[in-house]
Amino acid sequence: EVEGFERLVINFRGLDCVTFVENVFALSRFVRAAGAQSLLEDRKSAEDVYESILSEHRYRDGQIDGYVSRLHYFSDWVEDNHRRGLVRNISAELNGILDSEPVDFMSTHTDAYAQLIDTSNISLIKETEERLSAAGRRYVPMDRIDEVAQQIHDGDIIAATSTLAGLDVAHTGIALWIDETLHLLHAPLVGEAVQISETSLAERIEKIEGQDGIIIARPQDEPRREATSARER
């Protein structure tokens, strides 16, 4: 997060687990975009297109409209991107179970978020939390990950669900198959090297306290609308 008004921030040297997923997803869409090769000959145009793609993932309805327009809760990120056809949440297809625990971590830990010094932001965050809590979230419990692993593809977005009260997702990464074993490609620490999990995804979730399952979102090859720079919004 940055001080002041909400704006798109791109920092490839300081990725956390979420911004790593967002940027890998954005880069994959960028290189598949029509005319990507020619765009690289025009840095300004390339940057504008990339910013537009990243904004589509990061903000509700792809529009920057203040601090609360950012999809802070990752289950919200998945559902908003699913609704717009950018990913498909396949957790229910894999017989995921319902997590109906309330989501309220941000509004109950306002001191951890500089922008929540503004009480109007707190009110809007609470509205988001109430909606997420009412809807619940489908996830695959950790003891069933091996059972469904063969249905998870390289490049699927993985969200490790949290057991911490009020928090929906504890960590994110990208599914990666190596020698017939499903691993997690992820950024475990801000600014540190991206890693591939040493153990299988299922074993990793089981060993880490505070995580109890996964939400799986599959990137979709959707035709994109005409892009405009995030700076022009």
Side-chain angles (χ1 to χ4, degrees), residues 13 23 34 61 74 79 87-88 93 131 137 142 170 193 209:
R13 296 182 179 178
N23 278 281
D61 294 321
F74 202 75
E79 287 308 310
V87 303
R88 188 171 94 249
E93 298 173 31
R131 176 175 51 78
R137 301 150 299 284
M142 60 184 176
E209 185 177 356

Side-chain angles (χ1 to χ4, degrees), residues 81-165:
N81 279 266
H82 172 94
R83 177 175 56 80
R84 292 183 286 124
L86 300 174
V87 303
R88 188 171 94 249
N89 185 353
I90 65 171
S91 307
E93 298 173 31
L94 301 182
N95 296 318
I97 64 174
L98 182 66
D99 179 0
S100 57
E101 291 295 316
V103 174
D104 61 5
F105 188 86
M106 291 182 70
S107 65
T108 56
H109 296 78
T110 56
D111 56 338
Y113 303 90
Q115 300 288 3
L116 293 186
I117 194 172
D118 183 340
T119 56
S120 64
N121 281 338
I122 297 176
S123 297
L124 292 170
I125 284 291
K126 284 183 176 180
E127 290 180 10
T128 296
E129 292 173 339
E130 289 169 1
R131 176 175 51 78
L132 294 175
S133 298
R137 301 150 299 284
R138 292 280 173 180
Y139 76 105
V140 176
M142 60 184 176
D143 60 358
R144 290 193 52 242
I145 295 175
D146 276 337
E147 179 184 327
V148 304
Q150 291 297 325
Q151 299 176 70
I152 297 175
H153 298 173
D154 273 337
D156 282 350
I157 295 168
I158 304 295
T161 50
S162 175
T163 63
L164 184 64

Side-chain angles (χ1 to χ4, degrees), residues 26-207:
L27 283 167
S28 71
R29 291 182 65 203
F30 177 84
V31 299
R32 293 199 307 270
Q37 183 63 41
S38 61
L39 275 175
L40 293 176
E41 299 171 3
D42 179 350
R43 178 168 179 167
K44 174 62 167 60
S45 295
E47 289 177 349
D48 286 349
V49 170
Y50 185 77
E51 288 175 3
S52 177
I53 293 172
L54 185 59
S55 294
E56 281 187 315
H57 303 161
R58 184 172 290 177
Y59 292 95
R60 191 174 314 285
D61 294 321
Q63 300 295 319
I64 302 175
D65 184 21
Y67 178 73
V68 183
S69 66
R70 184 162 180 172
L71 298 163
H72 296 282
Y73 286 104
F74 202 75
S75 63
D76 197 18
W77 188 103
V78 170
E79 287 308 310
D80 192 77
N81 279 266
H82 172 94
R83 177 175 56 80
R84 292 183 286 124
L86 300 174
V87 303
R88 188 171 94 249
N89 185 353
I90 65 171
S91 307
E93 298 173 31
L94 301 182
N95 296 318
I97 64 174
L98 182 66
D99 179 0
S100 57
E101 291 295 316
V103 174
D104 61 5
F105 188 86
M106 291 182 70
S107 65
T108 56
H109 296 78
T110 56
D111 56 338
Y113 303 90
Q115 300 288 3
L116 293 186
I117 194 172
D118 183 340
T119 56
S120 64
N121 281 338
I122 297 176
S123 297
L124 292 170
I125 284 291
K126 284 183 176 180
E127 290 180 10
T128 296
E129 292 173 339
E130 289 169 1
R131 176 175 51 78
L132 294 175
S133 298
R137 301 150 299 284
R138 292 280 173 180
Y139 76 105
V140 176
M142 60 184 176
D143 60 358
R144 290 193 52 242
I145 295 175
D146 276 337
E147 179 184 327
V148 304
Q150 291 297 325
Q151 299 176 70
I152 297 175
H153 298 173
D154 273 337
D156 282 350
I157 295 168
I158 304 295
T161 50
S162 175
T163 63
L164 184 64
L167 188 63
D168 57 343
V169 168
H171 193 53
T172 61
I174 297 171
L176 180 66
W177 282 92
I178 301 175
D179 296 332
E180 299 185 354
T181 299
L182 180 61
H183 291 261
L184 186 71
L185 177 66
H186 63 128
L189 296 171
V190 177
E192 298 295 328
V194 171
Q195 297 179 8
I196 298 171
S197 61
E198 294 182 359
T199 61
S200 71
L201 173 61
E203 291 173 336
R204 186 182 190 281
I205 297 293
E206 289 175 357
K207 289 180 179 179

